[in-house]
Each structure stands twice: as C-alpha cells, then as structure tokens.
Amino acid sequence: MARRVLPGFGLSLGFVLTWLGLIVLLPLAALALKASGIGFGGLWTMVTTPAVLAALKLSFGAAVLSAVINAIAGLLVAWVLVRYSFPGRRFFDALVDLPFALPTAVAGIALTALYAPKGWIGALLAPLGIKVAFTPLGVLIAMVFVGFPFVVRTLQPVLESLDRDIEEAATSLGASRWQTFTRVLFPLLLPALLTGFALALARAVGEYGSVIFIAGNIPMKSEILPLVIVKQLEQFKYADAAAVGIVMLALSFLLLLAISLLQRWSRRWAER
Amino acid sequence: MEAALPLQRSRFTARRLVHALLILAALAFLAVFLLLPLAAVFVEALRKGLGTYVAAVVHPEAIAAIKLTLLVAAIAVPLNTVFGVAAAWAMTRFDFRGKAVLGAIIDLPFSVSPVVSGLIYVLLFGAQGWFGPWLQEHDIKLIFAVPGLVLATIFVTLPFVARELIPLMQSQGSDEEEAARVLGASGWQIFFRVTLPNIRWALLYGVLLCNARAMGEFGAVSVVSGHIRGLTNTLPLHVEILYNDYNYAGAFAVASLLAFLALVTLGLKTFLEWRYGTELAARAGRGH
C-alpha cells in the first residue's frame, strides 16, 4: 500500500505542531509550572480556603445540575424537532444555536434584565418568593442557557438515523409507546446523550461572561470559580490564580474522563 | 382497512394529544430560555428612545471598540482558518503515530474556561510572567495591549475550523486528490483545484462560527485587556463597562449590535445548512 501519496505532510503537520506548541502547549505549561511553584501542600491550603471551596462547590454543583436539566430539555427538544412537523419548526431549529452565536456578555445582561426583581420573569416569580437574579439560582439559569445547544445538536443526527423498523417491531410485539421509548430507543440514544451532557457540563463549569452579571457575585454565596481567579489576578496573586486554574482544569478533565468511561459502558450495553 | 374500533380511535386521539403536549412543552422551553433573552436585548436597548440608542452606538468609545473588535477578528480568524485547513489535511490525508492525541489537543481549548485561557497568557507574557522581564527590557507590551487580546482570541477560537473540516475530509476520502496527483498535479494545484472546491462550504461554515466567537469572546479577553477605555476595549468589554456604570440603555444598545451579529450568523448558518447540507455532511457529534 502506497502511503503518503499526497504531498504536504511535512508542511501541514509541521505548521500544526508549531502552532499548537506556541498557542496551546507553551501557555498551559506556564500554568502548570506556576501552580507547581506553591507545591501540593500549598495547593491544598489554597483550595480548602472557605471562599475557594464555596466557589468550587457552586461552580461544579450548578454545572452538573444545569447539564442534567439540559439533557432532559435537550432530549425533548431534539425529539420534537426531528419527529414532529409543526409551523415554525425550521425557525425553532435555527434558534437552538443562539447560545453559540450570542456573545456571553450580551446573554449575561439580558438574563439579568429578565430575572431581576422588576424584570419580565423576575416580576412573575417575586410574589412566589422566588429570587433568581443575584442568587445561586441565577448562576444555574445562565449555565442552562449556555449549555443548551450541545445536547440537542448531538442527539439530532442520531435520532434522524434511527431505523423506524425497530420501533415498529417493538410495537408489533406488544410494547407500549412508553416501553418502546424506555427499553428500545433510550439505550440507543444514551451514548449521544452522554456526549451532549459532557459538552454542556464542560462549557458550564468554565462559563464566565453570562454568569457574572446575573450571579451578583456575593462571596461564599454566589461567586463562581472563574471569578475567584479574576479577583486573585486583580490582587496580583498570580500563583494562587494559577493554582485555582489548574485545579479547575484537573477536575473538569476527571469529570470528562468519567463520562467517557460511562459512555463506553453504555455503548456496550446498547449493542448487547 | 377494517372500521376503526372505538378503542383504537381513542388511543389514536390520545397519541395526538401527547404529541401536541410534547411540542408545546418544547416550544415553551425554547421561548422562555432563548427567545425572551434575545427580545430583552432589543427592548432594553430602545427603552430610552432612538436618540439615546444612536448616541450610545456612535459614541467615540463605542466606535473605538467596534474597530478593535474588527481588528482582533481580522487577525485571529484567518490564522485559525489556515491552521484548521492544515490540521484537517494532516489529520485526514496521512497516517502517523499520535493522531488521536493531536486531535485531543486541537479540541483542548473548548474545555478550558475562558478565564483560564486568558490567565495562561498573563502567566507567560505578563509583568511577572516567564517572558515578562525580557519583554519589559525591550519595551514590548503584550498583556493589557492589543497583542494579548489577539493571542487570547486565537486560543479560544482555535478548534472551530478544524472541527468542521476534519470529519468532512475524513468522509470524503482522498481518491480525487490521489487521482490528480497521478495525473501530474502539484501539491498546491491539488489543494486549490480539488480539495478546496470540495470543502468550501464547510470551510465557510467553520469560519462563520470562528468569527462569531472571536467577535463575541468575553472572559479570555477580559483577563488580558486591562480595560483601558478607547484602547483595549472590545465590544463585549465595552458592554460590561457601560453596564457597570449603570448606563443600562447604553450597554444594551451596544449589546444589540452584537445580538444583531449573532442573528446574521445564525441566518447564514441556517442558509448554508439548508442549501449545502449534503456538502457540509458528517455533522454527527458536532458541538462547540
């Protein structure tokens, strides 16, 4: 077999490696080195200070919850967009990508205007005693917004490619619609659902622009981890900022790794 | 067909009802979570009248922010386009060790928080960074200056074009290019006459998404910008400054420009998908 029939291997790979080295790897190495400067003991003390710990819990807790909400809502929306026809379907399909296209700062101030006590939605919720803006609930809402398209966009192609024969077979064997969905379709959709979940989660954990306006940023209460980094930078505490940054990266990678293992297991389960 | 039994008919209408409820629930979610925020931007922008709106948009600081945003995108997007094409060429036309690792590194910026994306450049080029002393000696300012904004933007938008092209070029295969090679075409001839026409719409699609993110990026540029009005403020940062000054009408007016850009992006994207859907193929698993 004649490999490398085409020219340009050295040129393209050389350029790609140089670019990645300069833009991605070198700066990340600087982060790792700066964080390692304070040692594991220092890292632990840093991360376990009450303010950082509270932000850590809020960032990851709200991100996981937002990804769960997006998995459920995303499954519903993807299903409706693929399976049913109704007026305005193409419009709503295009609208799904809005969080990708809308700059996060714009989303942030728009959500704050909506959910502030006098905003369109905030005014409806206020009599019920529900406060969204400037509370952890606001953080959650912003994370749901930015993570929403991921689940829909990973599920849509899978739903489109599903063979309807399988469903018909299940139905003709006496399964109810609900049984067909939970026993037949859901296992087939699960790997893609997990991919979407992971992407939404990764985005929500690191999200900054859309969250900081609506969060109110009250230390120990509604302050997210990226904001902790920004505050440390403003006080010129570079090593501390690097430490929080590296912990954040490490935790996200662990979560993504866990999800990809879960995915592998679910794929095997679906193929069984 | 036999006459429908009453039981079957009731089951049929029950199913219609479930369909209607599911559609209603999905549309309600989309309306509350996506449509309302978008509407809020334009309503808030025009709340104090057209005069205030125009004044905020043509303010010298806003004009400077618009120019800077265009400049940053004009540098970052072409560079990442070239990178994306080169990455797709290397990844899909050749076999080499460590390909999976390379693919993971290309995707890496998507899973890094924007704030961390800015932070890494501060640690590298800031006053206390690795190259800080050397840069100061030579009187070069990267952080809290335009080059820092460009670098951070390049980092966060790095994967967009490559991500669109790699699955497409993988599924297209290299038969046509190899045929051109056998017929004596040079490398650049193959690229411009065979490859580029095959990938042009997907390339445009990737550039579109890359540009939207480049112009709208907030977290990463916020960390490296230093927020010097008229000098290092991009449009999203200008929105924040106006908002923190309690100039809500102004903030939403400038924000509406970015929202308009988002709508244009979505419109073009939808058009490309509708018109050139098959040429964009291999869409499975896309996410940003």
Side-chain angles (χ1 to χ4, degrees), chain A residues 49-67:
Chain A
T49 50
V52 176
L53 205 59
L56 194 78
K57 279 184 194 159
L58 175 64
S59 273
F60 280 88
V64 169
L65 200 56
S66 78

Side-chain angles (χ1 to χ4, degrees), chain A residues 55 58-64 66 70 99 102-113 115 132-147 200-218 221-228 230 248, chain B residues 113-115 216 218-219 240 243-244:
Chain A
L58 175 64
S59 273
F60 280 88
V64 169
S66 78
N70 275 333
L102 194 68
T104 55
V106 178
I109 63 170
L111 290 172
T112 313
Y115 289 94
V132 179
F134 320 124
T135 70
L137 199 55
V139 175
L140 181 69
I141 295 278
M143 286 178 173
V144 169
F145 178 83
V146 295
L201 178 66
R203 177 67 200 261
V205 166
E207 182 53 26
Y208 179 70
S210 55
V211 175
I212 53 160
F213 294 99
I214 197 172
N217 309 321
I218 308 154
K221 198 170 157 251
S222 64
E223 194 175 72
I224 53 164
L225 211 46
L227 188 74
V228 169
V230 169
M248 210 176 145
Chain B
S113 169
V115 168
F218 178 73
E240 185 198 22
Y243 191 84
N244 288 344

Side-chain angles (χ1 to χ4, degrees), chain A residues 4 6-7 9 12 16 19 23 28 33 84 94-95 97-98 101 109-110 112 145 148 150 177 206 209 233 238 253, chain B residues 15 19 29 33 37 80 83 87 89 94-95 108 113-114 121-122 128 130 155 158 218 243 252 262 269-270 288:
Chain A
R4 296 189 189 165
L6 296 170
F9 178 66
S12 60
V16 166
W19 194 246
I23 298 290
L28 284 175
L33 201 81
Y84 306 141
L95 186 69
D97 281 326
L98 181 73
I109 63 170
T112 313
F145 178 83
F148 177 68
F150 291 100
R177 285 296 288 167
L233 274 176
Y238 291 102
F253 286 143
Chain B
R15 184 173 290 180
H19 286 190
F29 184 91
F33 274 87
N80 276 338
F83 168 80
W89 184 262
F94 306 102
D95 274 335
L108 199 61
S113 169
Y121 288 102
V122 174
Q128 298 189 23
W130 276 8
F155 182 91
L158 184 107
F218 178 73
Y243 191 84
F252 278 102
K269 184 174 170 299
T270 308
H288 302 286

Side-chain angles (χ1 to χ4, degrees), chain B residues 15-117:
Chain B
R15 184 173 290 180
R16 290 290 292 263
L17 192 68
V18 170
H19 286 190
L21 284 176
L22 286 178
I23 293 173
L24 216 62
L27 295 192
F29 184 91
L30 290 173
V32 171
F33 274 87
L34 302 184
L35 218 46
L36 274 183
L38 186 64
V41 174
F42 292 102
V43 171
E44 295 289 331
L46 292 168
R47 176 153 292 188
K48 296 222 168 131
L50 205 60
T52 319
Y53 180 89
V54 174
V57 171
V58 299
H59 191 280
E61 281 172 15
I63 300 286
I66 293 173
K67 281 185 185 162
L68 184 60
T69 299
L70 293 175
L71 175 72
V72 170
I75 301 171
V77 175
L79 284 173
N80 276 338
T81 304
V82 173
F83 168 80
V85 172
W89 184 262
M91 294 276 290
T92 63
R93 295 299 178 255
F94 306 102
D95 274 335
F96 53 91
R97 295 178 90 188
K99 206 191 238 188
V101 178
L102 188 64
I105 296 176
I106 292 173
D107 280 346
L108 199 61
F110 276 156
S111 42
V112 175
S113 169
V115 168
V116 176
S117 310

